[in-house]
Amino acid sequence: QPSYVLEGTMEKFAEGQIKILLCTNIVESGLDIQNANTIIVEDVHLFGLAQMYQLRGRVGRADKEAHAYLFHPPKSLLTIDASDRLAALEECSGLGHGFQLAERDMGIRGFGSVFGEQQSGDIANVGIDLYSEMLFESLSKVGQYRLLPVPYEDVQLGFDVSTRLPFEYIDELDDPTRVVEEAEEAAQKDLWTLMNFTEQLRRHYGKEPPSMELILKKIYVKRMAADLGITEIRKLTKTIAMRTSMTKEAFKLLLEAMSSDPLRSSLKFEDSYIQ
């Protein structure tokens, strides 16, 4: 749901006008709904221990008796880690058990990879001294993987977007030039501010026509380029060239993070340019 609809839905649920809220695990993020006294979670074995703890804590926040029903396949089909997480949740069910649960979580997952996505390390296997040595060695190398952002206004786009807004949309906006300037001002701050501006624009004037969408996309491209440390984007005969200060190591890491093989194979790094 868009945010303006979502806000109304949550207000009605909090007031008791809506009796059942069907939702994703987005509700784990600190919602305090006093009227909610029952939560049903499907496939709870797929969630992390902290997520399960937060979801369970969304009910029982007032003087009403509360229930949390957590559904999962037969325990014989669960992984060892999933079984351990469920057991920990059952054991740590009293007030003030959050710290004990966090300790159990670290015991199940290990300390994890500090700079990577994997969370399966085990400090006990290597010992604290060797672990610290490995950690400092990794820290000394982190600079070569760092992406240094540049100011939004420093990004140069070597192509122009020429488009004409429909007369009806111009009449609605009253001053379209000022709207584009406000979008640029939002983009100068950060991507989140630009996204909020776009949402407000759509809330007041509806979905923008393709021509306005093209203008906004150009601003988004420039903002994201600034965050990636790209200072210039220009169009060549058959390619797009992006000048960047990132190292080859950082570019390699960027490629590894991409989920699409065709996208990875279409990019190359040469002489400070991504093509």
Side-chain angles (χ1 to χ4, degrees), residues 100-242:
Q100 288 92 326
L101 199 71
E103 283 189 318
R104 289 290 300 272
D105 190 29
M106 289 177 68
I108 294 169
R109 294 191 300 136
F111 277 74
S113 170
V114 178
F115 297 107
E117 295 179 355
Q118 293 183 340
Q119 289 293 316
S120 57
D122 193 350
I123 196 170
N125 288 341
V126 296
I128 188 66
D129 293 332
L130 180 56
Y131 181 83
S132 299
E133 185 180 330
M134 293 164 64
L135 176 60
F136 285 118
E137 185 180 345
S138 297
L139 282 170
S140 67
K141 296 177 181 178
V142 74
Q144 62 187 336
Y145 296 107
R146 184 176 294 145
L147 290 177
L148 297 176
V150 297
Y152 174 83
E153 53 271 17
D154 287 357
V155 179
Q156 299 178 352
L157 299 183
F159 55 88
D160 193 25
V161 175
S162 55
T163 182
R164 299 177 64 178
L165 298 177
F167 290 115
E168 302 83 6
Y169 193 66
I170 292 175
D171 289 340
E172 285 185 34
L173 294 180
D174 191 33
D175 187 358
T177 304
R178 180 57 194 154
V179 171
V180 175
E181 289 174 354
E182 289 176 355
E184 293 270 10
E185 291 169 3
Q188 287 176 10
K189 295 179 181 177
D190 52 48
L191 185 59
W192 178 249
T193 305
L194 178 59
M195 290 170 66
N196 280 335
F197 171 83
T198 307
E199 188 174 311
Q200 293 290 337
L201 185 68
R202 289 171 178 168
R203 185 179 297 180
H204 286 100
Y205 302 106
K207 181 71 172 71
E208 67 277 356
S211 51
M212 186 62 179
E213 184 180 0
L214 196 60
I215 294 172
L216 289 173
K217 280 183 176 179
K218 176 184 176 183
I219 296 173
Y220 269 89
V221 166
K222 192 173 176 181
R223 175 65 263 172
M224 289 187 284
D227 290 339
L228 290 171
I230 293 170
T231 55
E232 180 189 9
I233 302 177
R234 54 193 174 96
K235 184 172 64 173
L236 304 179
T237 308
K238 293 183 178 181
T239 60
I240 298 292
M242 297 172 283

Side-chain angles (χ1 to χ4, degrees), residues 44-55 85 105 109:
V44 71
H45 62 291
L46 300 178
F47 291 104
L49 189 51
Q51 288 180 303
M52 290 192 284
Y53 181 71
Q54 289 292 337
L55 287 168
R85 290 196 298 268
D105 190 29
R109 294 191 300 136

Side-chain angles (χ1 to χ4, degrees), residues 54-125:
Q54 289 292 337
L55 287 168
R56 185 179 66 178
R58 292 313 99 206
V59 296
R61 307 184 72 82
D63 56 353
K64 300 176 183 177
E65 184 178 2
H67 304 272
Y69 297 97
L70 311 179
F71 288 86
H72 57 80
K75 289 191 175 180
S76 60
L77 301 178
L78 298 178
T79 64
I80 295 175
D81 283 353
S83 298
D84 288 345
R85 290 196 298 268
L86 291 171
L89 197 68
E90 286 179 314
E91 293 167 16
C92 303
S93 57
L95 288 173
H97 279 184
F99 181 74
Q100 288 92 326
L101 199 71
E103 283 189 318
R104 289 290 300 272
D105 190 29
M106 289 177 68
I108 294 169
R109 294 191 300 136
F111 277 74
S113 170
V114 178
F115 297 107
E117 295 179 355
Q118 293 183 340
Q119 289 293 316
S120 57
D122 193 350
I123 196 170
N125 288 341

Side-chain angles (χ1 to χ4, degrees), residues 38-42 67-71:
T38 304
I39 186 169
I40 300 171
V41 184
E42 286 273 15
H67 304 272
Y69 297 97
L70 311 179
F71 288 86

